[in-house]
């Protein structure tokens, strides 16, 4: 994979994370949704991220001790 492809993948993942978190402005959200509608690789990446989020939701939350600062 070329450096440009790796950079593009990283940028896509960052945008998809922001998309999942609801952090994108309306225009960027529309662009991501359009890409998801036409790009199978983007959809696959989104599915992987969603699966990761689902797994993280299953983890027990840790609670810091009283001495934690």
């Amino acid at each position: 994979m070329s450096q440009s492809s790796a950079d593009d993948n990283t940028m896509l993942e960052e945008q998809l994370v922001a998309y999942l978190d609801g952090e994108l402005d309306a225009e960027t959200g529309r662009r991501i949704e359009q890409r998801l509608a036409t790009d199978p690789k983007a959809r696959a990446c989104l599915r992987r991220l969603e699966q990761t989020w689902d797994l993280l939701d299953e983890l027990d939350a840790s609670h810091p001790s009283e001495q934690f600062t």
Side-chain angles (χ1 to χ4, degrees):
M1 178 184 316
S2 72
Q3 183 63 36
S4 178
S5 291
D7 291 344
D8 290 345
N9 288 341
T10 299
M11 191 164 88
L12 174 61
E13 283 186 13
E14 289 173 0
Q15 289 178 329
L16 290 174
V17 167
Y19 175 78
L20 287 171
D21 286 342
E23 297 174 348
L24 298 179
D25 59 76
E27 178 60 30
T28 305
R30 278 191 293 277
R31 283 197 312 262
I32 289 294
E33 289 171 353
Q34 288 172 344
R35 182 164 181 185
L36 290 168
T38 61
D39 184 347
K41 288 182 182 180
R43 286 193 303 273
C45 184
L46 181 66
R47 279 193 301 274
R48 285 191 306 274
L49 289 169
E50 288 173 325
Q51 290 171 343
T52 301
W53 263 237
D54 291 343
L55 289 172
L56 289 172
D57 285 341
E58 292 180 21
L59 293 175
D60 291 331
S62 63
H63 302 283
S65 69
E66 294 291 324
Q67 291 81 25
F68 181 77
T69 56

